[in-house]
Amino acid sequence: MSIWTWLQDVIGRVRWMDVLVSTGIMAIFVLMNRFLVRYVFSLVNRKKREKERTLLWEEALEKPLRLFVVVLGVYLGFKYLFSVRWETAIALDGLFRSAVILLIGWSLLTLSNRSSFLLEQLSKKIRLDDSSMLIPFMSKVLRFVVIVLTITLFGTEWGFSINGLVAGMGLGSLAIALAAKDTLGNIFGGIVIILEKPFSRGDWILTPSVEGFVEDITFRSTKIRTFADAVVTVPNAALADQPITNWSRMGKRRVTFTLGVALDSDRERLAAAVERIETGLRENEKIDQTTILVKFTEFQQSSLGLFFYFFTKTTVWAEHLAVRQEVNLAVMKVLEEEGIRLAYPAQRVLLEEGVVWNSEEEGLRSVSSAG
């Protein structure tokens, strides 16, 4: 029997009164879908104490539920209309189950969205900060699982058996495993990075291969924006095996340098300048008071070395530089008031009995003779 013949046979058995009743059933569900869904949510609200969470559930599931009511109305209408033929009833049941599978998949995709309230509540319970990459990673995994399950159930409903596919994958599992070795390594590397949390999104990190700010982590790689504003994609397997310096985890930021002053500086004035500089650092509220070192430590070839070692309380680069500038200007002021000059490259030439000597060589050496 051809499709056209079957369709004529079905239409011939249908009465116009059945068509009107079927259309009325569909119209009721289509027109009343919003009211029915709201009524269901109102019943749930009476039993739930946490109104805010219930509203979030409503926002996530309202559209899928409304569409389900429409599909249910269409199904019941056609079910009433074509109930005279069992073959038609079977086809309608399959269509209805397929639509329900797709709607459930849509709902689960909405709930597994990275910005969904369900994952936000989970992050609050396990005390994750906003920069954590665990929730985005879980969202991607859940969405992938939901899509695979939805496609599998939909295909099974229409007679597509996955047994042959599984058997074929079993035969080619070795080749697939070898081909996907790097991909699997990157996925496991991403899991290790997320669980150990050596860095979070937005952190400034340094590795042997790249330095910059972490933007995102995916199944295969981590995206890092460098200081040149370029995005570098690093495979997770490689990143997990490298030493990672997380500069954003600093509790304070170090400042260390050696300042050269003139060789002929007065001893007492130099000691007074060192003491005044150290006192100024200890009175500065922007400097961490745990470790502050200002010492005269070196006799250099053309200068005397003053060693500075301290930490700023802020780790923000711009604020850190502002504190360093403030300290440098204060040091210059103290040195000026004590009459201590900064060292600069100099060369002393000694004239003795017609011979010119260069004092910067390791030993005195004749460089020219006077007639």
Side-chain angles (χ1 to χ4, degrees):
M1 181 184 294
S2 65
I3 298 177
W4 177 249
T5 305
W6 171 82
L7 184 61
Q8 287 180 331
D9 181 58
V10 171
I11 295 176
R13 292 172 179 268
V14 172
R15 296 178 300 178
W16 287 109
M17 183 58 67
D18 294 336
V19 172
L20 292 177
V21 174
S22 174
T23 304
I25 294 173
M26 296 181 193
I28 290 174
F29 279 85
V30 171
L31 296 175
M32 301 295 291
N33 67 86
R34 182 187 295 271
F35 172 77
L36 292 174
V37 171
R38 290 294 182 184
Y39 179 73
V40 172
F41 283 142
S42 65
L43 293 178
V44 175
N45 289 338
R46 294 176 185 176
K47 299 181 180 180
K48 294 290 186 181
R49 296 180 179 178
E50 299 182 5
K51 299 295 184 181
E52 182 178 356
R53 182 177 301 180
T54 305
L55 292 175
L56 292 174
W57 276 99
E58 292 181 13
E59 183 180 352
L61 300 179
E62 181 180 2
K63 290 183 179 179
L65 283 177
R66 288 179 57 186
L67 188 56
F68 169 76
V69 173
V70 174
V71 171
L72 179 61
V74 174
Y75 167 71
L76 293 177
F78 279 110
K79 188 82 170 179
Y80 177 83
L81 183 63
F82 297 127
S83 60
V84 293
R85 295 295 297 269
W86 64 270
E87 299 95 337
T88 307
I90 293 176
L92 286 173
D93 291 342
L95 287 172
F96 178 70
R97 288 193 297 268
S98 300
V100 171
I101 290 172
L102 294 177
L103 289 174
I104 293 175
W106 179 20
S107 302
L108 293 177
L109 280 177
T110 303
L111 294 176
S112 61
N113 187 25
R114 63 191 297 178
S115 60
S116 68
F117 76 96
L118 191 62
L119 293 180
E120 288 180 358
Q121 293 295 326
L122 177 62
S123 65
K124 291 179 181 178
K125 287 186 177 181
I126 58 180
R127 297 180 180 179
L128 294 177
D129 55 14
D130 295 336
S131 62
S132 173
M133 293 177 293
L134 180 60
I135 295 302
F137 190 84
M138 287 180 58
S139 173
K140 293 173 183 176
V141 172
L142 288 175
R143 291 170 72 85
F144 175 77
V145 172
V146 168
I147 292 173
V148 171
L149 289 177
T150 303
I151 294 175
T152 302
L153 293 175
F154 185 85
T156 303
E157 181 62 36
W158 289 98
F160 295 98
S161 176
I162 62 172
N163 295 331
L165 178 61
V166 173
M169 290 179 63
L171 294 176
S173 59
L174 179 60
I176 294 175
L178 292 175
K181 180 182 65 174
D182 293 339
T183 301
L184 291 175
N186 290 326
I187 292 175
F188 284 114
I191 294 174
V192 170
I193 290 173
I194 289 175
L195 293 179
E196 291 188 356
K197 293 186 65 175
F199 53 80
S200 300
R201 191 191 307 112
D203 282 358
W204 169 23
I205 66 171
L206 170 66
T207 72
S209 58
V210 67
E211 181 179 9
F213 295 93
V214 179
E215 284 203 342
D216 192 16
I217 180 170
T218 63
F219 285 111
R220 194 191 73 84
S221 60
T222 297
K223 296 180 180 179
I224 300 174
R225 186 171 294 276
T226 66
F227 296 124
D229 204 30
V231 176
V232 178
T233 302
V234 184
N236 289 331
L239 191 61
D241 290 336
Q242 293 179 346
I244 301 173
T245 302
N246 191 334
W247 295 113
S248 297
R249 299 281 176 87
M250 294 183 297
K252 49 190 178 182
R253 197 157 186 170
R254 186 181 66 175
V255 178
T256 179
F257 60 93
T258 298
L259 179 66
V261 298
L263 281 171
D264 58 355
S265 300
D266 182 78
R267 175 173 57 84
E268 294 182 356
R269 287 183 173 273
L270 182 60
V274 169
E275 183 178 356
R276 287 183 59 187
I277 292 172
E278 183 172 353
T279 300
L281 291 176
R282 295 194 179 280
E283 294 175 351
N284 192 331
E285 296 180 353
K286 302 175 184 179
I287 303 298
D288 183 81
Q289 302 299 312
T290 305
T291 304
I292 296 178
L293 297 174
V294 181
K295 304 297 179 183
F296 168 36
T297 58
E298 298 180 3
F299 287 97
Q300 300 174 355
Q301 188 175 11
S302 58
S303 64
L304 303 176
L306 302 184
F307 176 71
F308 290 78
Y309 190 94
F310 57 94
F311 293 85
T312 63
K313 291 182 178 180
T314 179
T315 59
V316 180
W317 191 37
E319 297 176 359
H320 169 80
L321 293 179
V323 176
R324 291 190 63 170
Q325 174 179 277
E326 179 182 336
V327 170
N328 290 341
L329 293 175
V331 170
M332 291 182 63
K333 180 179 179 181
V334 171
L335 294 179
E336 290 173 358
E337 292 176 352
E338 296 294 338
I340 305 296
R341 295 179 292 106
L342 295 178
Y344 54 90
Q347 188 177 38
R348 296 185 180 184
V349 178
L350 305 179
L351 296 177
E352 183 178 357
E353 295 182 355
V355 179
V356 180
W357 301 92
N358 187 344
S359 66
E360 286 211 341
E361 298 295 333
E362 295 182 359
L364 294 179
R365 152 176 94 79
S366 175
V367 294
S368 64
S369 298

